[in-house]
Amino acid sequence: MDDSKGWREILALTALKGRYCRYLDTKRWEQWRELFTDDFVSDTSAAGGRVITGADEFVRYLRATLGDGKTTVHQVHNPELALTSPTTATGVWALHDIVHLAPGLDLHGYGHYHETYDKHGDTWRIASSRLTRVREDIRTPLVSVRLSPRLRDAGAALARRSDR
């Protein structure tokens, strides 16, 4: 495989994982299902979960667990992707996810997705995913304030006056 073809494949895998996060967080279940091979295997046992075999079962489980109304934020970065053949690849992604559990109660998770990918025709799909965690935090802030630009500017002006 020439270098330009290899880079195009790596970019396609990166876009696949981007869609994974976006479709999951926006609860676009039908589009999310299309990102997986039919025999997809999810292994979250190292993070306190379980092994689920089959993409339909996995999507059904996550949809029941997260529901259409539960807010989630998944951010992946630092991809370590390798093409293992013209139609297979592996990858590790650093992960930070937030799951809004209840008012004032959020789970912040940090870890890694360890994945395999299969290509059918021109389309890459996720064949397996193993989630490992390095940290999980439950956050219950007493107060959460969004600093609007107006409030930020007023605070900065006040700080400048007190420095005189």
Side-chain angles (χ1 to χ4, degrees), residues 50-115:
R50 62 187 183 121
V51 176
I52 299 173
T53 302
D56 292 333
E57 180 61 26
F58 176 65
V59 172
R60 197 170 15 259
Y61 172 76
L62 261 288
R63 188 172 189 172
T65 302
L66 298 178
D68 288 327
K70 188 165 287 195
T71 301
T72 59
V73 177
H74 288 77
Q75 297 179 340
V76 294
H77 47 91
N78 297 1
E80 301 172 51
L81 298 168
L83 300 171
T84 54
S85 82
T87 60
T88 60
T90 61
V92 178
W93 295 87
L95 164 70
H96 174 213
D97 63 340
I98 302 168
V99 179
H100 182 67
L101 303 171
L105 184 64
D106 292 333
L107 168 70
H108 286 248
Y110 307 88
H112 298 91
Y113 284 118
H114 305 259
E115 297 181 326

